[in-house]
Amino acid sequence: MILENISRSFRTWLKYGTELLAAKGIRDAESDAWILMEYSANIDRTFYSMHAREPMDLADSKQYYDLLLKRAARIPVQYLTHEAWFYGSCFYVNPSVLIPRQDTETLVERAELLCSPGMHVLDLCTGSGCILLSLLKNHSMTGIGADISEEALEVAEKNRGLLGLRKSQVSWICSDLFDDIGGNFDMITANPPYIAAAEIAHLDPEVRDHEPVLALDGADDGLHYEFLIAERARMHLNEGAWLLLEIGHDQGEVMKEELTRLGYSETEIVRDLGGNDRVAIGRMT
């Protein structure tokens, strides 16, 4: 299809988009083609079912075509629409932050079981703020989100507004882990970089080439930041407070041993829906 023939129906465009993305090796070609059409033309499935044979607006067609080419170049669809759904809420995302994933919902689900009114929570490596904001949305608590990236914190603050949370509930601090963090907390959560450096080159192009390496690279064995956070968190946890860390699929055993060695009690490894190790938990004694 060339731009001279851009005035085509919704159905024709969707078929073209699906075939283009499939030819470029996009696994979810049909789904992504629809998401980009929904975004470009501001329509839903009901509208499409009623108007599929009608011509797509020219400006919308041009935008759709442009987005298809970008997706074909392996730019993640979430960065193209600036939307990522996580734990029942739609979050704004851009290339400054890691795209929220369903695996991370395991951490939020487990943390919710430990939440109580009045708790003060610290979320390290907060990125889009999806973990902290999801917790604060459902519980009468306050929190601090920390990240080394100022650009990531701008995204997190935007998401605070989108989720309707008050500024008094959450604040953001630019900090390299605990470097600029003061005070103690009733819970510390984190989704730090935990992919071994040598594995970065083998990730899908969407992740390797477009998501922030700073949020992925866990140094030699992927455990550098996990161990560092677990050790330093003890200086910032109230007695009886909880630490919850997202971990790699094969890091559960070693992380549980490390938390026990550091003196945490009630240590636990929680698995995600796929049966993989996903969250390491320990309690301050």
Side-chain angles (χ1 to χ4, degrees):
M1 183 178 294
I2 57 176
L3 289 180
E4 285 80 356
N5 296 322
I6 204 167
S7 181
R8 300 291 182 91
S9 70
F10 287 99
R11 177 175 294 175
T12 301
W13 266 117
L14 187 58
K15 181 176 183 292
Y16 169 76
T18 300
E19 292 175 349
L20 172 66
L21 297 184
K24 295 297 182 179
I26 306 298
R27 285 194 294 267
D28 299 318
E30 185 175 2
S31 173
D32 286 0
W34 165 252
I35 290 171
L36 294 178
M37 174 172 284
E38 184 180 41
Y39 175 78
S40 299
N42 192 26
I43 62 172
D44 57 21
R45 288 288 188 183
T46 300
F47 179 94
Y48 177 81
S49 65
M50 297 175 63
H51 303 277
R53 298 180 185 277
E54 297 177 10
M56 193 170 170
D57 178 80
L58 183 60
D60 294 343
S61 297
K62 289 180 177 179
Q63 182 182 27
Y64 185 56
Y65 182 74
D66 180 61
L67 291 176
L68 285 173
L69 294 182
K70 291 178 179 179
R71 183 67 188 102
R74 309 305 286 265
I75 298 175
V77 68
Q78 294 90 341
Y79 288 157
L80 296 176
T81 64
H82 298 295
E83 294 180 348
W85 283 89
F86 179 83
Y87 212 67
S89 297
C90 186
F91 285 81
Y92 172 85
V93 293
N94 66 27
S96 298
V97 299
L98 200 67
I99 297 169
R101 288 167 166 78
Q102 186 178 28
D103 290 343
T104 305
E105 294 184 357
T106 304
L107 190 156
V108 178
E109 289 172 353
R110 191 64 180 84
E112 283 212 276
L113 299 177
L114 305 173
C115 290
S116 59
M119 289 180 72
H120 192 42
V121 181
L122 171 66
D123 182 44
L124 294 174
C125 310
T126 198
S128 66
C130 64
I131 293 174
L132 180 61
L133 295 173
S134 295
L135 292 174
L136 298 186
K137 178 184 176 183
N138 296 327
H139 300 273
S140 296
M141 307 187 303
T142 57
I144 293 175
D147 202 287
I148 196 172
S149 166
E150 288 277 11
E151 291 79 9
L153 295 178
E154 292 175 3
V155 172
E157 170 60 14
K158 183 178 180 71
N159 283 320
R160 179 202 62 76
L162 290 174
L163 267 67
L165 294 174
R166 301 185 308 275
K167 287 188 176 183
S168 59
Q169 284 181 269
V170 59
S171 57
W172 312 106
I173 295 178
C174 188
S175 177
D176 186 356
L177 299 183
F178 292 99
D179 285 359
D180 295 291
I181 302 297
N184 283 15
F185 301 86
D186 303 303
M187 178 184 291
I188 295 177
T189 60
N191 178 14
Y194 57 74
I195 300 175
E199 296 179 11
I200 300 293
H202 304 291
L203 297 174
D204 288 343
E206 285 86 345
V207 179
R208 181 192 65 221
D209 299 335
H210 298 285
E211 297 203 55
V213 174
L214 196 65
L216 299 169
D217 192 343
D220 292 344
D221 58 3
L223 291 164
H224 173 76
Y225 296 104
E226 308 279 10
F227 281 14
L228 191 58
I229 291 172
E231 179 180 2
R232 296 183 64 186
R234 293 185 56 80
M235 301 172 59
H236 295 274
L237 286 166
N238 291 320
E239 184 176 353
W242 294 93
L243 172 68
L244 296 94
L245 296 172
E246 179 164 338
I247 60 175
H249 67 92
D250 57 354
Q251 296 173 346
E253 183 177 350
V254 67
M255 276 307 303
K256 187 170 184 178
E257 290 177 357
E258 179 67 5
L259 291 176
T260 301
R261 185 189 72 80
L262 290 169
Y264 289 91
S265 64
E266 301 182 49
T267 57
E268 180 186 0
I269 301 300
V270 181
R271 294 183 176 179
D272 60 25
L273 291 176
N276 298 309
D277 296 342
R278 189 55 58 196
V279 182
I281 303 175
R283 193 173 194 182
M284 183 67 178
T285 55

